[in-house]
Each structure stands twice: as C-alpha cells, then as structure tokens.
Amino acid sequence: MSLLYLVRHGQADRLGKNYDQLTEHGWKQAKLLGEYFKSQRIEFDSVYTGTLNRQKQTAQGIIESFTNDRFCIPEPGVNSAWDEFDSKMWLGLAAKIRHANDNFANLYESYKKAWEEGKEETRDYFQELIQIVLNDWVHGVWDPVEPYTFQEYVEKVSFGPKEIPGDVKSTLVVSSSTPIAIMMGLSCKMQPVEFPVFMKSITNSSLSIFRRENGHWEPVSWNNTPHLQDPDLVTLV
C-alpha cells in the first residue's frame, strides 16, 4: 500500500506585487504542518512540489520542522504536473468575460483598485472573480484558450500521481488548489465538469490523503487542517 499526502501551499502574498511567495502567515502554516507530521510519526520516502515558488517554500517550511530535530526527509523533486494553472489563462478569460458581463467588469475594476491600494478586500474580490472564470473554463465557454483548455490541463495534472514510484510507501506532494481538486475528482471517477465542487473550499496548507490500490488512487481524507488549532490561521486565499 502506498499513501500520498497532498498539501496545498501556505497563504501566498495576494496583496503584494509578487503573488508567488508565502506571507508570514503562510510560513507559519507550513512549519506547523511539519510539526504535525512529526507528532503523528509520519515520515516520507519521497517528496515532490510543482515548479512554483510558493509550493517550494511550503515544502521548505515543512522540511525544516524535520531537519531541525535531525529527522531524515528526502529533498523535494520538482514536477510541473503539480503546478497551479498558468495566470495567462485566467487573465485571458477575464478579459473576454469583462466585455460580455458588466457585473464581472465592475467587480474586476474593484479588484484592481483594491490590489493597487494593498487592501485586504483584494482576496475577497479575487475569490469571486476566479470562481466565475473557472466555471467558464471548465465548461469550455471560450475554448480554445491559451495556454490550455481545462481538458488539456486535467490531462497534464493526471501525470503527477502516475509518476510517483510504485515502490514507495509514503509520499508528500505540495501543490495548489486546482490540481488538488482535480486529483480528488479523478480519484472519485467523476466527470471533469463536476470538479469545481472541490475548487471552492481548499484551505491554505490543508492536507488531503490518498491511498493507491491496484494502480488507482483512492481518497482517504480531504482538506483537513489538524495542525491549525488557532482559527485565525485558517485561510482560503
């Protein structure tokens, strides 16, 4: 039996000019998750991240919790199959939707203004916008889109779990919310248009566990944050 511990990256700097880095909050979430793994005596035979900085930083925070106490943990491998969707996709679709939907256009302008002013409301606006964009992407409303359609992206993500060696018992993967939602949908053998039900609620640094049985990954637990005892540390964006 092989287990996959699939983690979403910690909170990233949505309010800053470079989203692809953890906030102080995000670093704390990652380190607490590492401490949780140690407390539960969970060790890993292999570790992977996507190519994104926020994913690598989260893995670093987890690993530091082990290495500080001289526990052995492998250096992370990098696999782009675990990357979040390319920002070109959401920006390109947002531009198309703005021309067709006045409410979306007004919301987008509010988001831009809040982002430029560094306001906390940026996160709320983004969450609203991205759900609309993801719905259109998943249903192929504007296909073809760059750099990939949703179906093409699902295929890309599906290579991530397939490339985990068959002889390892325990693997840690740090990814992002959309690949995690797709992994859940694939493991439940759902249709791709149903995957968005998982995309709305994946919290920062949350842990989902899958078990490989006869070559197929089955869900064991979903979107848990047992390491975040303080409710103020639980974040979505």
Side-chain angles (χ1 to χ4, degrees):
M1 183 179 71
S2 180
L3 291 175
L4 165 59
Y5 295 82
L6 184 55
V7 172
R8 185 190 176 195
H9 61 76
Q11 185 189 60
D13 191 14
R14 174 61 59 192
L15 305 182
K17 300 302 179 185
N18 178 14
Y19 174 58
D20 196 22
Q21 60 183 358
L22 295 188
T23 62
E24 182 179 344
H25 210 78
W27 278 108
K28 187 170 185 179
Q29 291 167 334
K31 291 173 182 177
L32 285 171
L33 181 54
E35 294 293 336
Y36 169 77
F37 284 139
K38 279 196 310 179
S39 74
Q40 298 300 304
R41 300 178 185 174
I42 298 170
E43 299 182 67
F44 302 105
D45 303 307
S46 60
V47 180
Y48 296 92
T49 73
T51 68
L52 304 177
N53 196 43
R54 58 190 183 271
Q55 299 168 341
K56 294 177 180 179
Q57 288 178 337
T58 302
Q60 180 185 338
I62 293 170
I63 288 170
E64 282 176 1
S65 296
F66 282 84
T67 55
N68 286 344
D69 287 343
R70 300 185 180 180
F71 280 77
C72 291
I73 186 168
E75 284 296 311
V78 176
N79 186 340
S80 64
W82 295 109
D83 284 356
E84 184 58 278
F85 55 76
D86 194 306
S87 60
K88 292 177 185 175
M89 182 283 294
W90 106 263
L91 291 171
L93 277 185
K96 294 179 180 181
I97 298 170
R98 274 158 49 204
H99 290 298
N101 184 325
D102 289 340
N103 289 333
F104 183 92
N106 293 333
L107 186 63
Y108 188 85
E109 289 305 312
S110 297
Y111 162 74
K112 274 181 58 181
K113 184 178 179 182
W115 180 79
E116 288 165 359
E117 296 174 357
K119 292 183 176 179
E120 189 67 32
E121 291 93 326
T122 301
R123 300 182 189 278
D124 297 327
Y125 287 134
F126 177 78
Q127 188 66 10
E128 258 191 276
L129 289 168
I130 201 63
Q131 293 305 323
I132 296 169
V133 169
L134 287 174
N135 181 74
D136 279 13
W137 186 40
V138 167
H139 288 88
V141 174
W142 305 95
D143 282 356
V145 297
E146 295 294 336
Y148 30 57
T149 65
F150 183 67
Q151 292 288 348
E152 291 167 341
Y153 181 68
V154 168
E155 184 176 351
K156 175 179 180 289
V157 171
S158 71
F159 284 109
K162 290 176 183 176
E163 292 177 9
I164 295 173
D167 59 349
V168 298
K169 292 184 178 179
S170 183
T171 297
L172 169 67
V173 172
V174 180
S175 185
S176 295
S177 59
T178 314
I180 294 171
I182 289 171
M183 178 69 185
M184 189 63 175
L186 291 172
S187 69
C188 293
K189 300 183 179 180
M190 296 166 63
Q191 294 299 313
V193 292
E194 299 175 286
F195 293 176
V197 69
F198 300 118
M199 295 178 186
K200 301 174 183 179
S201 58
I202 304 174
T203 50
N204 293 124
S205 79
S206 65
L207 171 64
S208 299
I209 303 175
F210 300 83
R211 176 179 56 232
R212 183 160 47 193
E213 292 284 352
N214 299 318
H216 176 69
W217 290 100
E218 300 175 350
V220 174
S221 64
W222 164 250
N223 196 32
N224 292 317
T225 52
H227 56 298
L228 302 180
Q229 296 301 308
D230 180 353
D232 290 338
L233 283 173
V234 180
T235 57
L236 190 62
V237 180

